[in-house]
C-alpha cells in the first residue's frame, strides 16, 4: 500500500488580517489563499526561499513571506504581502544549540588525541552543495564513546522551511577513522534538537604497491 504524502502545514496572517496557508513537502509547496490553491516548486533565489508555478510566486524568508504574480523582472503585481507565521517555527531552536552523542559499535579504544567533528548543514536543495551552518571539534582526551556534544549556532541562520542535518566524523592524527553514513534530520519540520549519531569505521588506505 503506497504511503500517503506527508505535508507540513504553516499558517500565516498577512496585511489587512488576511489568512494564508502553506503546505510543504520537500521542494513542493501548496499555497492556499482566498479559496485558490497554487501548487509550486522551489526555484533558485538569491535570498530567502522562492517557489513558483510559472504564474505566481511565493517568497518566504524566516517567519515572513508574500505572494506575488511571477514576472521576469521580479516586479509582478503583489497578491498579498506582510505575511507572518502565526506560530514562529524557529522558536524551537531559538536557544541556538543542538545536543546529542557520538558513538560507534566497534570494540576498540581511540587515542586521547582523536578529534571528533560534529557538523550542522542546510541540506534543503538536492542539486547544490550543503551549506555548513556550524561545526564543533572535540578532543577525545580520556573519554570513550558515547561522547556528548553541544553544538552552538546562530538561530538567525535557521529558516523554518529549510531542511537541516547533522553529521559526525572522527580523525586520528589527521586521518579519517570513523564517519556517519546516514542522514540525521534536525531542528525544523518537526525534527529534534537532540540526536544520537552513530559513526562507522573507515577502511585504512591501501599501502602503495612496491616497485
Amino acid at each position: 500500500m503506497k504511503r500517503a504524502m506527508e505535508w507540513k502545514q504553516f499558517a500565516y496572517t498577512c496585511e489587512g488580517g488576511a489568512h494564508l496557508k502553506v503546505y510543504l513537502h520537500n521542494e513542493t509547496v501548496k499555497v492556499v489563499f482566498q479559496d485558490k490553491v497554487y501548487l509550486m516548486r522551489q526555484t533558485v533565489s538569491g535570498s530567502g526561499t522562492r517557489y513558483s508555478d510559472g504564474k505566481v510566486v511565493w517568497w518566504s524568508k524566516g517567519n515572513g513571506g508574500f505572494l506575488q504574480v511571477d514576472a521576469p523582472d521580479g516586479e509582478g503585481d503583489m497578491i498579498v504581502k506582510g505575511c507572518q507565521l502565526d506560530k514562529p517555527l524557529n522558536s524551537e531552536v531559538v536557544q541556538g544549540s543542538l545536543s546529542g552523542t557520538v558513538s560507534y559499535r566497534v570494540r576498540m579504544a581511540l587515542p586521547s588525541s582523536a578529534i571528533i567533528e560534529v557538523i550542522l548543514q542546510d541540506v534543503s536543495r538536492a542539486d547544490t552543495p550543503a551549506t555548513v551552518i556550524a561545526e564543533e571539534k572535540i578532543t577525545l582526551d580520556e573519554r570513550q564513546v558515547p561522547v556528548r556534544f553541544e553544538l552552538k549556532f546562530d538561530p538567525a541562520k535557521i529558516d523554518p522551511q529549510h531542511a537541516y542535518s547533522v553529521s559526525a566524523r572522527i580523525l586520528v592524527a589527521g586521518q579519517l577513522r570513523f564517519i556517519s553514513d546516514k542522514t540525521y534530520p534536525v531542528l525544523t519540520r518537526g525534527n529534534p534538537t537532540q540526536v544520537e549519531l552513530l559513526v562507522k569505521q573507515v577502511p585504512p588506505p591501501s599501502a602503495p604497491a612496491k616497485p
Side-chain angles (χ1 to χ4, degrees):
M1 186 174 181
K2 190 175 181 180
R3 186 178 178 181
M5 185 179 292
E6 295 181 1
W7 297 85
K8 299 292 184 179
Q9 180 176 328
F10 308 94
Y12 291 80
T13 298
C14 307
E15 189 174 72
H19 295 286
L20 178 147
K21 288 186 178 180
V22 171
Y23 299 87
L24 179 66
H25 176 76
N26 295 334
E27 296 182 7
T28 301
V29 73
K30 286 192 296 186
V31 178
V32 181
F33 180 66
Q34 292 184 342
D35 297 325
K36 292 185 178 180
V37 179
Y38 306 94
L39 183 64
M40 311 179 193
R41 292 283 294 173
Q42 187 173 348
T43 61
V44 176
S45 65
S47 177
T49 307
R50 182 183 190 274
Y51 299 88
S52 176
D53 62 1
K55 297 179 180 179
V56 173
V57 60
W58 165 251
W59 283 90
S60 67
K61 187 173 183 179
N63 292 307
F66 58 86
L67 192 64
Q68 181 183 29
V69 173
D70 199 352
D73 60 1
E75 299 296 329
D77 292 339
M78 192 65 63
I79 299 172
V80 65
K81 62 181 180 178
C83 301
Q84 291 291 320
L85 277 167
D86 293 344
K87 178 183 178 183
L89 293 184
N90 60 356
S91 60
E92 64 196 63
V93 295
V94 70
Q95 74 276 12
S97 68
L98 175 70
S99 61
T101 60
V102 178
S103 61
Y104 55 79
R105 292 175 178 164
V106 180
R107 290 181 174 271
M108 65 177 292
L110 291 173
S112 60
S113 59
I115 301 294
I116 299 174
E117 295 183 350
V118 182
I119 303 172
L120 173 64
Q121 295 179 304
D122 184 333
V123 293
S124 300
R125 294 189 63 86
D127 56 348
T128 59
T131 302
V132 175
I133 303 298
E135 61 181 305
E136 179 185 9
K137 295 184 179 181
I138 305 166
T139 302
L140 190 60
D141 292 328
E142 300 304 316
R143 292 170 290 188
Q144 293 298 329
V145 296
V147 175
R148 292 200 60 80
F149 70 86
E150 184 173 9
L151 183 61
K152 301 289 187 180
F153 58 88
D154 180 0
K157 294 183 178 180
I158 304 300
D159 187 324
Q161 295 191 44
H162 281 203
Y164 299 87
S165 73
V166 64
S167 61
R169 62 181 189 168
I170 302 177
L171 297 92
V172 176
Q175 298 293 317
L176 182 63
R177 297 287 296 274
F178 290 86
I179 191 168
S180 50
D181 65 347
K182 61 173 286 187
T183 300
Y184 291 90
V186 292
L187 302 181
T188 58
R189 303 183 179 183
N191 290 309
T193 56
Q194 283 191 306
V195 63
E196 296 179 356
L197 303 178
L198 181 66
V199 292
K200 292 191 175 181
Q201 192 171 16
V202 176
S206 302
K210 294 183 178 180

